[in-house]
Amino acid sequence: MIRRFFIAINVILFLLSLFFLIKTATDKKEINRYYGEKFSYTETAGGEVELEMSDGETVRLRFDKEAVKAEQSYRVKDRAGQIYLTTFIYSYAREKEIHIERKFTDMLGELRLHNALYAVGYKREQTADADLDFTSDKRWYVNFISTIF
């Protein structure tokens, strides 16, 4: 009986690993699609950047040396848009010689976490905008959950 239980657990873990492997591969393909793309954006006085998303929506970003704030990030609902936004952040930072130590997938995960929390109504005033650090978030649990996302 216990042996069957462990076999079932192993099969479930294998299937989950396979699912995440496929998802990561499709994300990587999407990321590569936007790499080197000429993004349409405008810089305003005061250091703000307005990015025109591929669907025509505009997202306002505020860059500083340690982080970027994506205002009303919850409006970027689909995964492709979130990848587009995150790719732009890395592209813009490279252009402006802002160093980002954080892995792309971790920053994307934190953006997705903000959106998920906003969608379920959790502290909407705080989760409407995504503050994405260039190293890692100071809160361990945010880093952990962002990695999962």
Side-chain angles (χ1 to χ4, degrees), residues 34 37-44 47-63 68-73 75-76 80-93 95 104 111 132:
Y34 296 129
E37 174 147 339
K38 301 293 182 200
F39 295 96
S40 178
Y41 67 93
T42 56
E43 295 176 277
T44 62
E48 292 182 352
V49 176
E50 291 184 354
L51 170 66
E52 184 178 327
M53 299 292 290
S54 56
D55 63 0
E57 289 284 325
T58 301
V59 176
R60 181 174 291 143
L61 301 161
R62 286 192 213 154
F63 284 85
V68 60
K69 180 177 192 166
E71 294 181 1
Q72 298 178 348
S73 65
R75 296 182 325 165
V76 184
Q82 294 164 354
I83 290 172
Y84 185 86
L85 176 60
T86 308
T87 304
F88 171 76
I89 291 169
Y90 276 81
S91 173
Y92 184 84
E95 181 182 310
F104 184 96
L111 176 65
L132 307 169

Side-chain angles (χ1 to χ4, degrees), residues 8-20:
I9 294 295
N10 283 328
V11 168
I12 290 170
L13 289 175
F14 173 75
L15 292 175
L16 279 172
S17 298
L18 190 60
F19 171 76
F20 288 122

Side-chain angles (χ1 to χ4, degrees), residues 27-41:
D27 285 351
K28 187 169 176 80
K29 187 176 180 180
E30 189 79 19
I31 292 164
N32 288 337
R33 189 178 96 175
Y34 296 129
Y35 186 76
E37 174 147 339
K38 301 293 182 200
F39 295 96
S40 178
Y41 67 93

